[in-house]
Amino acid sequence: MDDCIFCKIISGDIPSDIIYRDDEVIAFRDVNPVAPTHILIVPVEHLVTTLDIPDVNTSLTNKMIQTANRLANQEGISEDGYRLVINCGEQGGQVVKHLHMHLIGGRHLSSSLG
Ligand code: 5GP
Ligand code: ZN
């Protein structure tokens, strides 16, 4: 997708602090972090929301969670706890229209989700 910021990060056209990548997912630090750890876990394929994950593809969701688990360990936040968030669509607060999971931690987060 030509006008997608995350596709441009994946292709290297826009620089970012990439901490993991393979054929299926890439993870980089959020440019505007809301906590000491704020990482975005993003499928390499341009999917807009979770609605675009094909029914047959359970491996992508597993891969995103497994990547989050590994990075949470790497960041040293596994024991204290952290938050995984996927915003979907306009009312879900999604700004970048390329599927991504936020991994947020390193401070005490509010229990409010609204
Ligand atoms: P959303 O609101 O769509 O769930 O979250 C989009 C996230 O992408 C935001 O937290 C925002 O700070 C982050 N973001 C937007 N543009 C860029 C960018 O160019 N580079 C990086 N690293 N993060 C970005
Ligand atoms: Zn994209």
Side-chain angles (χ1 to χ4, degrees), residues 15-46:
S16 70
D17 188 358
I18 295 171
I19 48 185
Y20 178 76
R21 82 179 297 161
D22 62 27
D23 290 345
E24 286 176 301
V25 299
I26 185 168
F28 49 88
R29 294 193 191 277
D30 197 293
V31 76
N32 188 22
V34 298
T37 292
H38 189 168
I39 295 167
L40 301 172
I41 297 151
V42 181
V44 169
E45 183 182 1
H46 179 88

PDB file of all heavy atoms in Angstrom, residues 15-46:
ATOM      1  N   PRO A  15      12.319   5.507   8.432  1.00  0.00           N
ATOM      2  CA  PRO A  15      13.143   4.879   9.467  1.00  0.00           C
ATOM      3  C   PRO A  15      12.346   4.646  10.757  1.00  0.00           C
ATOM      4  O   PRO A  15      11.423   5.404  11.073  1.00  0.00           O
ATOM      5  CB  PRO A  15      14.266   5.902   9.707  1.00  0.00           C
ATOM      6  CG  PRO A  15      13.753   7.188   9.169  1.00  0.00           C
ATOM      7  CD  PRO A  15      12.699   6.898   8.159  1.00  0.00           C
ATOM      8  N   SER A  16      12.682   3.589  11.461  1.00  0.00           N
ATOM      9  CA  SER A  16      12.057   3.341  12.768  1.00  0.00           C
ATOM     10  C   SER A  16      12.987   2.464  13.582  1.00  0.00           C
ATOM     11  O   SER A  16      13.957   1.914  13.062  1.00  0.00           O
ATOM     12  CB  SER A  16      10.697   2.662  12.600  1.00  0.00           C
ATOM     13  OG  SER A  16      10.889   1.349  12.155  1.00  0.00           O
ATOM     14  N   ASP A  17      12.685   2.370  14.868  1.00  0.00           N
ATOM     15  CA  ASP A  17      13.505   1.589  15.789  1.00  0.00           C
ATOM     16  C   ASP A  17      12.985   0.152  15.794  1.00  0.00           C
ATOM     17  O   ASP A  17      12.187  -0.236  16.648  1.00  0.00           O
ATOM     18  CB  ASP A  17      13.408   2.248  17.180  1.00  0.00           C
ATOM     19  CG  ASP A  17      14.376   1.645  18.165  1.00  0.00           C
ATOM     20  OD1 ASP A  17      15.100   0.689  17.801  1.00  0.00           O
ATOM     21  OD2 ASP A  17      14.418   2.120  19.314  1.00  0.00           O
ATOM     22  N   ILE A  18      13.440  -0.619  14.804  1.00  0.00           N
ATOM     23  CA  ILE A  18      12.953  -2.000  14.632  1.00  0.00           C
ATOM     24  C   ILE A  18      13.673  -2.914  15.613  1.00  0.00           C
ATOM     25  O   ILE A  18      14.911  -2.912  15.679  1.00  0.00           O
ATOM     26  CB  ILE A  18      13.180  -2.470  13.180  1.00  0.00           C
ATOM     27  CG1 ILE A  18      12.325  -1.640  12.225  1.00  0.00           C
ATOM     28  CG2 ILE A  18      12.847  -3.957  13.037  1.00  0.00           C
ATOM     29  CD1 ILE A  18      12.619  -1.856  10.749  1.00  0.00           C
ATOM     30  N   ILE A  19      12.903  -3.687  16.393  1.00  0.00           N
ATOM     31  CA  ILE A  19      13.557  -4.585  17.351  1.00  0.00           C
ATOM     32  C   ILE A  19      13.376  -6.054  17.002  1.00  0.00           C
ATOM     33  O   ILE A  19      14.047  -6.895  17.575  1.00  0.00           O
ATOM     34  CB  ILE A  19      13.100  -4.309  18.798  1.00  0.00           C
ATOM     35  CG1 ILE A  19      11.596  -4.207  18.883  1.00  0.00           C
ATOM     36  CG2 ILE A  19      13.745  -3.057  19.326  1.00  0.00           C
ATOM     37  CD1 ILE A  19      11.135  -3.828  20.256  1.00  0.00           C
ATOM     38  N   TYR A  20      12.495  -6.351  16.062  1.00  0.00           N
ATOM     39  CA  TYR A  20      12.358  -7.733  15.608  1.00  0.00           C
ATOM     40  C   TYR A  20      11.731  -7.733  14.224  1.00  0.00           C
ATOM     41  O   TYR A  20      10.857  -6.914  13.944  1.00  0.00           O
ATOM     42  CB  TYR A  20      11.465  -8.547  16.565  1.00  0.00           C
ATOM     43  CG  TYR A  20      11.279  -9.964  16.080  1.00  0.00           C
ATOM     44  CD1 TYR A  20      12.292 -10.890  16.231  1.00  0.00           C
ATOM     45  CD2 TYR A  20      10.113 -10.346  15.421  1.00  0.00           C
ATOM     46  CE1 TYR A  20      12.154 -12.188  15.743  1.00  0.00           C
ATOM     47  CE2 TYR A  20       9.962 -11.638  14.928  1.00  0.00           C
ATOM     48  CZ  TYR A  20      10.991 -12.549  15.103  1.00  0.00           C
ATOM     49  OH  TYR A  20      10.859 -13.820  14.604  1.00  0.00           O
ATOM     50  N   ARG A  21      12.155  -8.645  13.380  1.00  0.00           N
ATOM     51  CA  ARG A  21      11.431  -8.852  12.124  1.00  0.00           C
ATOM     52  C   ARG A  21      11.683 -10.251  11.580  1.00  0.00           C
ATOM     53  O   ARG A  21      12.760 -10.821  11.756  1.00  0.00           O
ATOM     54  CB  ARG A  21      11.739  -7.779  11.080  1.00  0.00           C
ATOM     55  CG  ARG A  21      13.008  -7.953  10.259  1.00  0.00           C
ATOM     56  CD  ARG A  21      13.152  -6.814   9.249  1.00  0.00           C
ATOM     57  NE  ARG A  21      12.088  -6.797   8.273  1.00  0.00           N
ATOM     58  CZ  ARG A  21      11.763  -5.733   7.523  1.00  0.00           C
ATOM     59  NH1 ARG A  21      12.426  -4.606   7.665  1.00  0.00           N
ATOM     60  NH2 ARG A  21      10.803  -5.803   6.637  1.00  0.00           N
ATOM     61  N   ASP A  22      10.670 -10.822  10.968  1.00  0.00           N
ATOM     62  CA  ASP A  22      10.822 -12.062  10.206  1.00  0.00           C
ATOM     63  C   ASP A  22       9.880 -11.958   9.004  1.00  0.00           C
ATOM     64  O   ASP A  22       9.434 -10.851   8.667  1.00  0.00           O
ATOM     65  CB  ASP A  22      10.580 -13.307  11.089  1.00  0.00           C
ATOM     66  CG  ASP A  22       9.177 -13.390  11.664  1.00  0.00           C
ATOM     67  OD1 ASP A  22       8.232 -12.843  11.045  1.00  0.00           O
ATOM     68  OD2 ASP A  22       9.005 -14.003  12.730  1.00  0.00           O
ATOM     69  N   ASP A  23       9.558 -13.077   8.378  1.00  0.00           N
ATOM     70  CA  ASP A  23       8.734 -13.013   7.161  1.00  0.00           C
ATOM     71  C   ASP A  23       7.283 -12.606   7.442  1.00  0.00           C
ATOM     72  O   ASP A  23       6.592 -12.114   6.546  1.00  0.00           O
ATOM     73  CB  ASP A  23       8.707 -14.376   6.455  1.00  0.00           C
ATOM     74  CG  ASP A  23      10.054 -14.693   5.837  1.00  0.00           C
ATOM     75  OD1 ASP A  23      10.873 -13.756   5.717  1.00  0.00           O
ATOM     76  OD2 ASP A  23      10.281 -15.864   5.493  1.00  0.00           O
ATOM     77  N   GLU A  24       6.837 -12.825   8.675  1.00  0.00           N
ATOM     78  CA  GLU A  24       5.408 -12.602   8.983  1.00  0.00           C
ATOM     79  C   GLU A  24       5.134 -11.333   9.784  1.00  0.00           C
ATOM     80  O   GLU A  24       4.106 -10.692   9.591  1.00  0.00           O
ATOM     81  CB  GLU A  24       4.873 -13.791   9.793  1.00  0.00           C
ATOM     82  CG  GLU A  24       4.664 -15.050   9.004  1.00  0.00           C
ATOM     83  CD  GLU A  24       4.222 -16.181   9.906  1.00  0.00           C
ATOM     84  OE1 GLU A  24       4.963 -16.512  10.851  1.00  0.00           O
ATOM     85  OE2 GLU A  24       3.134 -16.721   9.683  1.00  0.00           O
ATOM     86  N   VAL A  25       6.014 -11.016  10.721  1.00  0.00           N
ATOM     87  CA  VAL A  25       5.760  -9.861  11.593  1.00  0.00           C
ATOM     88  C   VAL A  25       7.010  -9.000  11.744  1.00  0.00           C
ATOM     89  O   VAL A  25       8.144  -9.468  11.576  1.00  0.00           O
ATOM     90  CB  VAL A  25       5.271 -10.269  13.012  1.00  0.00           C
ATOM     91  CG1 VAL A  25       3.966 -11.024  12.960  1.00  0.00           C
ATOM     92  CG2 VAL A  25       6.334 -11.015  13.769  1.00  0.00           C
ATOM     93  N   ILE A  26       6.740  -7.746  12.087  1.00  0.00           N
ATOM     94  CA  ILE A  26       7.820  -6.816  12.405  1.00  0.00           C
ATOM     95  C   ILE A  26       7.413  -6.124  13.709  1.00  0.00           C
ATOM     96  O   ILE A  26       6.214  -5.944  13.973  1.00  0.00           O
ATOM     97  CB  ILE A  26       8.027  -5.807  11.254  1.00  0.00           C
ATOM     98  CG1 ILE A  26       9.218  -4.885  11.492  1.00  0.00           C
ATOM     99  CG2 ILE A  26       6.777  -4.986  10.995  1.00  0.00           C
ATOM    100  CD1 ILE A  26       9.619  -4.077  10.258  1.00  0.00           C
ATOM    101  N   ALA A  27       8.390  -5.778  14.528  1.00  0.00           N
ATOM    102  CA  ALA A  27       8.089  -5.051  15.771  1.00  0.00           C
ATOM    103  C   ALA A  27       9.031  -3.859  15.858  1.00  0.00           C
ATOM    104  O   ALA A  27      10.244  -3.983  15.624  1.00  0.00           O
ATOM    105  CB  ALA A  27       8.269  -5.963  16.978  1.00  0.00           C
ATOM    106  N   PHE A  28       8.452  -2.695  16.145  1.00  0.00           N
ATOM    107  CA  PHE A  28       9.267  -1.486  16.283  1.00  0.00           C
ATOM    108  C   PHE A  28       8.683  -0.624  17.384  1.00  0.00           C
ATOM    109  O   PHE A  28       7.504  -0.756  17.752  1.00  0.00           O
ATOM    110  CB  PHE A  28       9.359  -0.707  14.958  1.00  0.00           C
ATOM    111  CG  PHE A  28       8.046  -0.462  14.266  1.00  0.00           C
ATOM    112  CD1 PHE A  28       7.281   0.651  14.558  1.00  0.00           C
ATOM    113  CD2 PHE A  28       7.573  -1.354  13.300  1.00  0.00           C
ATOM    114  CE1 PHE A  28       6.069   0.881  13.917  1.00  0.00           C
ATOM    115  CE2 PHE A  28       6.353  -1.142  12.657  1.00  0.00           C
ATOM    116  CZ  PHE A  28       5.607  -0.017  12.967  1.00  0.00           C
ATOM    117  N   ARG A  29       9.514   0.277  17.927  1.00  0.00           N
ATOM    118  CA  ARG A  29       9.063   1.126  19.033  1.00  0.00           C
ATOM    119  C   ARG A  29       8.144   2.223  18.505  1.00  0.00           C
ATOM    120  O   ARG A  29       8.411   2.805  17.449  1.00  0.00           O
ATOM    121  CB  ARG A  29      10.258   1.728  19.777  1.00  0.00           C
ATOM    122  CG  ARG A  29      11.059   0.667  20.485  1.00  0.00           C
ATOM    123  CD  ARG A  29      12.057   1.193  21.483  1.00  0.00           C
ATOM    124  NE  ARG A  29      12.935   0.092  21.879  1.00  0.00           N
ATOM    125  CZ  ARG A  29      12.647  -0.811  22.809  1.00  0.00           C
ATOM    126  NH1 ARG A  29      11.514  -0.726  23.487  1.00  0.00           N
ATOM    127  NH2 ARG A  29      13.476  -1.799  23.078  1.00  0.00           N
ATOM    128  N   ASP A  30       7.065   2.460  19.280  1.00  0.00           N
ATOM    129  CA  ASP A  30       6.118   3.508  18.909  1.00  0.00           C
ATOM    130  C   ASP A  30       6.826   4.862  18.966  1.00  0.00           C
ATOM    131  O   ASP A  30       7.568   5.156  19.901  1.00  0.00           O
ATOM    132  CB  ASP A  30       4.917   3.487  19.865  1.00  0.00           C
ATOM    133  CG  ASP A  30       3.724   4.244  19.311  1.00  0.00           C
ATOM    134  OD1 ASP A  30       3.826   5.493  19.175  1.00  0.00           O
ATOM    135  OD2 ASP A  30       2.703   3.620  19.013  1.00  0.00           O
ATOM    136  N   VAL A  31       6.593   5.703  17.971  1.00  0.00           N
ATOM    137  CA  VAL A  31       7.250   7.007  17.892  1.00  0.00           C
ATOM    138  C   VAL A  31       6.754   7.952  18.999  1.00  0.00           C
ATOM    139  O   VAL A  31       7.444   8.904  19.358  1.00  0.00           O
ATOM    140  CB  VAL A  31       7.035   7.614  16.478  1.00  0.00           C
ATOM    141  CG1 VAL A  31       5.626   8.169  16.304  1.00  0.00           C
ATOM    142  CG2 VAL A  31       8.077   8.657  16.144  1.00  0.00           C
ATOM    143  N   ASN A  32       5.596   7.655  19.546  1.00  0.00           N
ATOM    144  CA  ASN A  32       5.001   8.503  20.588  1.00  0.00           C
ATOM    145  C   ASN A  32       4.587   7.627  21.771  1.00  0.00           C
ATOM    146  O   ASN A  32       3.400   7.400  22.017  1.00  0.00           O
ATOM    147  CB  ASN A  32       3.786   9.238  19.989  1.00  0.00           C
ATOM    148  CG  ASN A  32       3.230  10.263  20.930  1.00  0.00           C
ATOM    149  OD1 ASN A  32       3.913  10.739  21.834  1.00  0.00           O
ATOM    150  ND2 ASN A  32       1.956  10.593  20.761  1.00  0.00           N
ATOM    151  N   PRO A  33       5.586   7.112  22.511  1.00  0.00           N
ATOM    152  CA  PRO A  33       5.288   6.090  23.519  1.00  0.00           C
ATOM    153  C   PRO A  33       4.447   6.631  24.679  1.00  0.00           C
ATOM    154  O   PRO A  33       4.657   7.753  25.122  1.00  0.00           O
ATOM    155  CB  PRO A  33       6.678   5.659  24.008  1.00  0.00           C
ATOM    156  CG  PRO A  33       7.589   6.776  23.658  1.00  0.00           C
ATOM    157  CD  PRO A  33       7.016   7.438  22.433  1.00  0.00           C
ATOM    158  N   VAL A  34       3.522   5.807  25.159  1.00  0.00           N
ATOM    159  CA  VAL A  34       2.686   6.199  26.297  1.00  0.00           C
ATOM    160  C   VAL A  34       3.192   5.562  27.602  1.00  0.00           C
ATOM    161  O   VAL A  34       2.617   5.788  28.660  1.00  0.00           O
ATOM    162  CB  VAL A  34       1.202   5.815  26.068  1.00  0.00           C
ATOM    163  CG1 VAL A  34       0.643   6.539  24.855  1.00  0.00           C
ATOM    164  CG2 VAL A  34       1.024   4.310  25.942  1.00  0.00           C
ATOM    165  N   ALA A  35       4.248   4.787  27.505  1.00  0.00           N
ATOM    166  CA  ALA A  35       4.822   4.120  28.677  1.00  0.00           C
ATOM    167  C   ALA A  35       6.282   3.798  28.339  1.00  0.00           C
ATOM    168  O   ALA A  35       6.681   3.867  27.166  1.00  0.00           O
ATOM    169  CB  ALA A  35       4.040   2.849  28.983  1.00  0.00           C
ATOM    170  N   PRO A  36       7.091   3.443  29.362  1.00  0.00           N
ATOM    171  CA  PRO A  36       8.508   3.152  29.085  1.00  0.00           C
ATOM    172  C   PRO A  36       8.715   2.110  27.990  1.00  0.00           C
ATOM    173  O   PRO A  36       9.657   2.211  27.196  1.00  0.00           O
ATOM    174  CB  PRO A  36       9.029   2.668  30.449  1.00  0.00           C
ATOM    175  CG  PRO A  36       8.160   3.378  31.443  1.00  0.00           C
ATOM    176  CD  PRO A  36       6.798   3.436  30.814  1.00  0.00           C
ATOM    177  N   THR A  37       7.868   1.086  27.975  1.00  0.00           N
ATOM    178  CA  THR A  37       7.872   0.153  26.838  1.00  0.00           C
ATOM    179  C   THR A  37       6.603   0.372  26.035  1.00  0.00           C
ATOM    180  O   THR A  37       5.491   0.293  26.574  1.00  0.00           O
ATOM    181  CB  THR A  37       7.922  -1.322  27.320  1.00  0.00           C
ATOM    182  OG1 THR A  37       9.189  -1.577  27.924  1.00  0.00           O
ATOM    183  CG2 THR A  37       7.715  -2.289  26.150  1.00  0.00           C
ATOM    184  N   HIS A  38       6.756   0.699  24.767  1.00  0.00           N
ATOM    185  CA  HIS A  38       5.595   0.804  23.861  1.00  0.00           C
ATOM    186  C   HIS A  38       6.070   0.353  22.484  1.00  0.00           C
ATOM    187  O   HIS A  38       6.737   1.099  21.761  1.00  0.00           O
ATOM    188  CB  HIS A  38       5.054   2.238  23.822  1.00  0.00           C
ATOM    189  CG  HIS A  38       3.752   2.346  23.075  1.00  0.00           C
ATOM    190  ND1 HIS A  38       2.962   3.474  23.113  1.00  0.00           N
ATOM    191  CD2 HIS A  38       3.098   1.477  22.264  1.00  0.00           C
ATOM    192  CE1 HIS A  38       1.880   3.290  22.380  1.00  0.00           C
ATOM    193  NE2 HIS A  38       1.945   2.094  21.837  1.00  0.00           N
ATOM    194  N   ILE A  39       5.728  -0.879  22.187  1.00  0.00           N
ATOM    195  CA  ILE A  39       6.183  -1.523  20.952  1.00  0.00           C
ATOM    196  C   ILE A  39       4.961  -1.868  20.116  1.00  0.00           C
ATOM    197  O   ILE A  39       3.912  -2.254  20.655  1.00  0.00           O
ATOM    198  CB  ILE A  39       6.980  -2.816  21.305  1.00  0.00           C
ATOM    199  CG1 ILE A  39       8.274  -2.433  22.056  1.00  0.00           C
ATOM    200  CG2 ILE A  39       7.292  -3.635  20.062  1.00  0.00           C
ATOM    201  CD1 ILE A  39       8.970  -3.615  22.711  1.00  0.00           C
ATOM    202  N   LEU A  40       5.096  -1.732  18.808  1.00  0.00           N
ATOM    203  CA  LEU A  40       4.025  -2.116  17.887  1.00  0.00           C
ATOM    204  C   LEU A  40       4.424  -3.412  17.183  1.00  0.00           C
ATOM    205  O   LEU A  40       5.543  -3.516  16.658  1.00  0.00           O
ATOM    206  CB  LEU A  40       3.788  -1.006  16.860  1.00  0.00           C
ATOM    207  CG  LEU A  40       3.399   0.350  17.458  1.00  0.00           C
ATOM    208  CD1 LEU A  40       3.391   1.434  16.377  1.00  0.00           C
ATOM    209  CD2 LEU A  40       2.038   0.272  18.148  1.00  0.00           C
ATOM    210  N   ILE A  41       3.529  -4.393  17.214  1.00  0.00           N
ATOM    211  CA  ILE A  41       3.760  -5.672  16.552  1.00  0.00           C
ATOM    212  C   ILE A  41       2.824  -5.714  15.352  1.00  0.00           C
ATOM    213  O   ILE A  41       1.600  -5.619  15.504  1.00  0.00           O
ATOM    214  CB  ILE A  41       3.502  -6.831  17.533  1.00  0.00           C
ATOM    215  CG1 ILE A  41       4.506  -6.725  18.696  1.00  0.00           C
ATOM    216  CG2 ILE A  41       3.609  -8.187  16.836  1.00  0.00           C
ATOM    217  CD1 ILE A  41       4.020  -7.271  19.981  1.00  0.00           C
ATOM    218  N   VAL A  42       3.420  -5.825  14.177  1.00  0.00           N
ATOM    219  CA  VAL A  42       2.707  -5.515  12.936  1.00  0.00           C
ATOM    220  C   VAL A  42       2.908  -6.647  11.921  1.00  0.00           C
ATOM    221  O   VAL A  42       4.047  -7.056  11.682  1.00  0.00           O
ATOM    222  CB  VAL A  42       3.279  -4.193  12.342  1.00  0.00           C
ATOM    223  CG1 VAL A  42       2.556  -3.805  11.072  1.00  0.00           C
ATOM    224  CG2 VAL A  42       3.248  -3.065  13.367  1.00  0.00           C
ATOM    225  N   PRO A  43       1.819  -7.162  11.333  1.00  0.00           N
ATOM    226  CA  PRO A  43       2.019  -8.139  10.257  1.00  0.00           C
ATOM    227  C   PRO A  43       2.699  -7.499   9.058  1.00  0.00           C
ATOM    228  O   PRO A  43       2.421  -6.333   8.736  1.00  0.00           O
ATOM    229  CB  PRO A  43       0.602  -8.600   9.889  1.00  0.00           C
ATOM    230  CG  PRO A  43      -0.335  -7.669  10.544  1.00  0.00           C
ATOM    231  CD  PRO A  43       0.407  -6.867  11.567  1.00  0.00           C
ATOM    232  N   VAL A  44       3.591  -8.224   8.415  1.00  0.00           N
ATOM    233  CA  VAL A  44       4.270  -7.699   7.220  1.00  0.00           C
ATOM    234  C   VAL A  44       3.251  -7.472   6.100  1.00  0.00           C
ATOM    235  O   VAL A  44       3.336  -6.490   5.364  1.00  0.00           O
ATOM    236  CB  VAL A  44       5.388  -8.681   6.776  1.00  0.00           C
ATOM    237  CG1 VAL A  44       5.922  -8.315   5.402  1.00  0.00           C
ATOM    238  CG2 VAL A  44       6.505  -8.702   7.822  1.00  0.00           C
ATOM    239  N   GLU A  45       2.277  -8.361   6.017  1.00  0.00           N
ATOM    240  CA  GLU A  45       1.218  -8.195   5.008  1.00  0.00           C
ATOM    241  C   GLU A  45       0.316  -7.027   5.401  1.00  0.00           C
ATOM    242  O   GLU A  45      -0.026  -6.863   6.583  1.00  0.00           O
ATOM    243  CB  GLU A  45       0.386  -9.484   4.931  1.00  0.00           C
ATOM    244  CG  GLU A  45      -0.688  -9.450   3.872  1.00  0.00           C
ATOM    245  CD  GLU A  45      -1.532 -10.724   3.840  1.00  0.00           C
ATOM    246  OE1 GLU A  45      -1.285 -11.637   4.654  1.00  0.00           O
ATOM    247  OE2 GLU A  45      -2.441 -10.795   2.998  1.00  0.00           O
ATOM    248  N   HIS A  46      -0.095  -6.223   4.417  1.00  0.00           N
ATOM    249  CA  HIS A  46      -0.980  -5.091   4.712  1.00  0.00           C
ATOM    250  C   HIS A  46      -2.407  -5.593   4.932  1.00  0.00           C
ATOM    251  O   HIS A  46      -3.145  -5.807   3.979  1.00  0.00           O
ATOM    252  CB  HIS A  46      -0.962  -4.051   3.590  1.00  0.00           C
ATOM    253  CG  HIS A  46      -1.872  -2.894   3.867  1.00  0.00           C
ATOM    254  ND1 HIS A  46      -1.472  -1.773   4.561  1.00  0.00           N
ATOM    255  CD2 HIS A  46      -3.182  -2.707   3.588  1.00  0.00           C
ATOM    256  CE1 HIS A  46      -2.499  -0.940   4.678  1.00  0.00           C
ATOM    257  NE2 HIS A  46      -3.548  -1.482   4.090  1.00  0.00           N
TER     258      HIS A  46
END
